[in-house]
Amino acid sequence: MKEQPVLDVSKLPLHGMGIASPAWWGTCTFMLIEGSAFGLAIAVYFYLMSLAPHWPPDVPPPDLFAGTCLTVLLLASVVPNVLVSRWAQQRKLGKVRIGLVVMSLCGIAPLALRIFEFPAQHVNWDESAYGSIVWTILGLHTVHIITDLIDTLVLACLMFTRHGDNTRRYGDVEDNALYWNFVVIAWLPLYACIYWVPRL
Amino acid sequence: MTTERRSSAATDVDLDDAELDRQLDRTWAGRTSFWGAIAAVDHKVIARRYIVTAFVFLILGGMLALAMRIQLAQPEARFINADRYNQIFTMHGSNMMFLFAVPVMEAMAVYLVPLMVGTRNIAFPRLNAFSYWVFLAGGILLWISFALDTAPDVGWFAYVPLSGPEYGSGKRADVWAQMITFTELSALAVAVEIVVTVLKQRAPGMSLDRIPLLVWSMLVMAFVVIMAMPAIMFESSTLIMDRLVGTQFYNPAEGGDVLLWQHLFWFFGHPEVYIIFLPAVGMVSTILPTFVQRPIFGYLPVVMALIATGVLAFGLWVHHMFVIGLPRLAESFFTASSMAIAIPAGVQIFCWLATLWAGRPIFKTPLLFVIGFIITFVIGGLTGVMVASVPFDAQVHDTYFVVAHFHYVLIGGAVFPLIAGIYYWFPKMTGRMMSERLGQWSFWLIFVGFNLTFFPMHILGLQGMPRRIYTYQPEMPWGGLNLFISLSAVILFSGFLVFFIDVARSWSAGRPAGQNPWNASTLEWAMNSPPPPYNFRRIPVVDARDPLWCGSDELPVASGLRTDRRELLISSVVEALPEARESSPRDSVWPFWAAIATSIMLIWSIFSPWAIVWGSIPIAITLIGWFWPKGIAEDES
């Protein structure tokens, strides 16, 4: 077919930010997938609970200390996270670099606390279905922390190279921050489920 | 990024068509070497691989069906022993669902969606390449295990406790579970690509109410994949954990539950039917208007029906579990919801009939398969309404009635439209027409052979013949019908044989197709056949639902994209107003290595939980290699 130019797009930016970026949409879609998985894990938890005569079966409820500390820490990490995202939007390279280093630490610290969360459940994964689902929920969420931590570490390294000062990288930083917010928010219902539902 | 570099960048403004084609080809074409083929990220190349691979699995799965029909043709036959038969029916179901039906439908989306929405490549093309390699590895895993006599033998839904640690010895059930992980990983990846391509890469002006119906159906399908597949991945992982590290999810002695397996499986498994069916109806809604040469009747109701089907798909999984002893209220609810899904299906059928009625049908092969689909699917839908009723279902559960029902909806509802789609889009994909004469032969052989094969199974089911038995006694009243079915299956197979011969012949020797051999209305017919690597010389601008039926020889297009890097347009979600010129990634071998690393980790983890730890390291390395910027033009912003 003969082509008739009716629209000139040469003035458009070479990369879209925020909702004009496919990567942003891809991140959201992955969050939908992961969110479905977390939702299912919670559904399985309640399903098993509905079958058990006592909940938790024959063990005390999990100790609150490690899990609550981790929750507070995760919530606190949202502050630097939002700041990094804002700095990335403003393309402030120096601040983004510092922010990513801080966020890397914010990814490592919960992992340290998570180590104490597993024994705090008073049950092993192979002792009962209760143990299995609690360990699985903790494991599933830990995988998400680790994934985002590695992503943050790689981005932090990247921002110190010549590739750093690029709108595309700032977009990556924003998407990474978005994903960390998701990791934090997804933890809240999981935390309520693991630590407070047995106390109801 | 400086303004100086921007002004010096080459754009398509002021270039004549031949020079523009040459420059775009230099930027977009992949290398022809072996590693060039491994590194390819062109959606058409990947989709072609997907389609060919899926059809190879169809042939293999068909061979298994043939083996089962030989075994069942007479009572007490000794062609296959019981253990092998268990593996064969499990392989047949798993292969057809996970290695053929879902991947082939997604592959059609991978090929067609970018063309139909008017863009140059799918979103996240490297993820697309990765998904293909992972899918291929999963398929090879399953078939190699079959060759080694360790194929799964627990049915395609692998119910516990049969598949659990107590009864499922060896690694057979693990192979099934990990094949699931492979294929669902690839399906989820493709779903993400489809969602983002449809939402963000549509041609300027293609607002939501101008999206082709096939694209709508693929979008809804992708969302169903995203919501449903995590359930089966959760399930396959927990099964492996129960078997390998002693978790107790499905062990009633320790607070687990076998019915939890069924709930999780069917929460995925019922939407799975619509994951296969929605693309098929999208194909029907696209092919039908072309062969009656008028727009679809009731675009809006059809779109609404697609979305309603996608939503309702999640509300009826329990109708697969009517015989487990549910509370009465649950039975009533799921009966009602199962019947409710007939409403959107009915809306579409009436829209198709109205389209046929109002147009002038041209009875070419694709239309024949579409009409065959409507007839067969209505029969399958009617038996679906029957088994949605609890008392009836309790009678025919696990009999050949159910086998007949789901083959009517799956072959009638999905394979017929798929073959219509192959006949329809083959000219676009290869540049050559398929034979009309062989097409008619294959249609009549398949249609007649299908009905003669599967209709009698309803009767066998009513006579009480259970599914999944490797043989039966001569005293049972099933011998005659089984022999009839096996002979009819030969007709069905010969129909597929004619189809494959036609494909093979036409691929090399078919009549040249030209741009738009069917005089169709959607954008994939606006370029040469097969499409060039960059799809569109200039991105089209859309101002109608049927852009090629506007009565003009000219295609309105956008100009100003760069030719020295892979560039495409990003547009807004609702109105498709252009927002940015975005780069599209270049070819890369990293997705291949990432898929290899993933495959090693997944297969290793059947044997040792430590595979998750150590196997993740190579995956992380390959992913970093994949994402690390290479300082090329595509990286500019």
Side-chain angles (χ1 to χ4, degrees), chain B residues 308-539:
Chain B
T309 308
V311 174
L312 285 173
F314 288 94
L316 25 101
W317 79 92
V318 174
H319 73 210
H320 296 268
M321 303 162 59
F322 278 152
V323 295
I324 65 169
L326 289 165
R328 288 285 290 278
L329 181 68
E331 290 186 341
S332 308
F333 175 84
F334 284 99
T335 292
S337 64
S338 306
M339 291 186 173
I341 202 147
I343 295 170
V347 167
Q348 291 181 80
I349 287 171
F350 283 113
C351 286
W352 295 326
L353 291 180
T355 311
L356 267 173
W357 189 268
R360 294 159 185 267
I362 305 162
F363 288 97
K364 294 270 179 71
T365 309
L367 185 64
L368 290 181
F369 273 102
V370 164
I371 293 171
F373 151 78
I374 294 176
I375 295 168
T376 320
F377 179 70
V378 167
I379 298 174
L382 285 175
T383 55
V385 175
M386 288 162 78
V387 290
S389 140
V390 176
F392 187 84
D393 184 73
Q395 289 299 311
V396 299
H397 187 87
D398 258 345
T399 70
Y400 265 81
F401 190 89
V402 178
V403 177
H405 161 69
F406 69 68
H407 281 93
Y408 263 83
V409 281
L410 287 171
I411 298 185
V415 178
F416 278 32
L418 176 71
I419 298 179
I422 296 289
Y423 269 94
Y424 182 67
W425 281 293
F426 189 88
K428 180 51 64 184
M429 294 177 179
T430 65
R432 294 180 184 277
M433 305 296 288
M434 288 175 72
S435 156
E436 191 54 36
R437 192 166 51 88
L438 289 179
Q440 305 255 355
W441 269 101
S442 77
F443 169 73
W444 287 110
L445 285 171
I446 290 176
F447 183 75
V448 173
F450 170 80
N451 280 291
L452 291 181
T453 304
F454 288 98
F455 195 83
M457 289 190 190
H458 292 113
I459 302 165
L460 270 182
L462 293 175
Q463 289 177 348
M465 179 166 167
R467 295 167 75 176
R468 305 197 174 107
I469 50 168
Y470 82 105
T471 193
Y472 50 91
Q473 288 67 45
E475 302 83 65
M476 296 295 185
W478 306 327
L481 271 180
N482 268 306
L483 182 61
F484 179 80
I485 290 171
S486 294
L487 292 174
S488 306
V490 177
I491 304 176
L492 180 56
F493 276 91
S494 61
F496 275 99
L497 190 65
V498 172
F499 168 71
F500 285 117
I501 290 172
D502 194 7
V503 168
R505 269 186 29 161
S506 308
W507 200 306
S508 54
R511 190 160 52 80
Q515 283 196 345
N516 190 357
W518 311 115
N519 189 26
S521 70
T522 39
L523 284 176
E524 77 272 28
W525 303 102
M527 83 281 294
N528 288 337
S529 313
Y534 43 89
N535 292 355
F536 295 90
R537 188 184 295 132
R538 296 182 181 86
I539 304 285

